[in-house]
Amino acid sequence: MKSMIQVAFSVVVALLIGMSASLAQSTGHKMISPNDLQWSDVPSLPPGAKIAVIEGPMSEAVPFTVRLKFPANYQIPAHWHPAVERVTVLSGAVNMGVGDKLDMQQSMALSPGSMMILQPKTNHYVFTKEETIVQLNGAGPWAVTYVNPADDPRNK
Ligand SMILES: [Cu+2]
């Protein structure tokens, strides 16, 4: 009988330890340094961009934080998102414009420290002249919809 109680006790302890471990994973705070970032390709953007997901995933209804790295002379044709897009420039410069078609004459250059907050379903475009890193904050589920479907790299 005593051993039964001991077994039951250790099962409860094991469950509690397991629960606190998974709680720590879902609510634990994160300390991220640039060296921790793992960069990968971005199927929804023209080739050349890299993404590092810090918080997410972007496909679920949770807050996300990602970094995007664009090479020099990179362009993202006009597109929109289903939710508010918050862009903070970390390095380089991002040129952004609002409209249905990429127009290099109609844009604003955002330098490091600058931020842009874009409302859902606003057509906008991006281009760079130098390598640029931005941070994107928003809430999923995220999507990129191109004004002209032919611009969508997933259709190529
Ligand atoms: Cu965008």
Side-chain angles (χ1 to χ4, degrees):
M1 200 63 196
K2 193 180 175 193
S3 64
M4 282 270 288
I5 289 167
Q6 276 173 346
V7 167
F9 178 74
S10 40
V11 166
V12 168
V13 167
L15 281 174
L16 285 174
I17 290 171
M19 270 171 63
S20 62
S22 58
L23 275 179
Q25 269 175 8
S26 57
T27 61
H29 75 265
K30 278 188 173 185
M31 310 262 271
I32 307 290
S33 71
N35 289 338
D36 297 328
L37 301 178
Q38 295 192 341
W39 296 96
S40 54
D41 292 337
V42 199
S44 60
L45 296 181
K50 296 279 178 186
I51 190 170
V53 178
I54 296 170
E55 179 192 26
M58 298 176 95
S59 57
E60 289 174 21
V62 294
F64 67 77
T65 301
V66 304
R67 300 265 169 96
L68 287 170
K69 192 193 292 180
F70 305 129
N73 303 311
Y74 181 76
Q75 297 188 343
I76 305 176
H79 63 279
W80 57 270
H81 309 288
V84 175
E85 178 176 37
R86 297 175 181 85
V87 181
T88 307
V89 180
L90 300 183
S91 66
V94 72
N95 299 276
M96 280 214 149
V98 169
D100 300 342
K101 204 163 189 246
L102 192 145
D103 182 351
M104 291 178 85
Q105 313 309 320
Q106 299 287 329
S107 73
M108 190 179 164
L110 299 170
S111 54
S114 305
M115 197 180 173
M116 192 202 62
I117 301 176
L118 207 74
Q119 295 307 307
K121 297 195 173 171
T122 305
N123 291 342
H124 61 286
Y125 47 85
V126 170
F127 61 94
T128 65
K129 294 175 178 170
E130 57 189 298
E131 185 182 274
T132 296
I133 297 178
V134 300
Q135 179 161 298
L136 226 72
N137 290 87
W142 193 246
V144 182
T145 306
Y146 288 87
V147 174
N148 179 359
D151 288 332
D152 192 331
R154 293 163 294 192
N155 293 340
K156 287 176 184 170

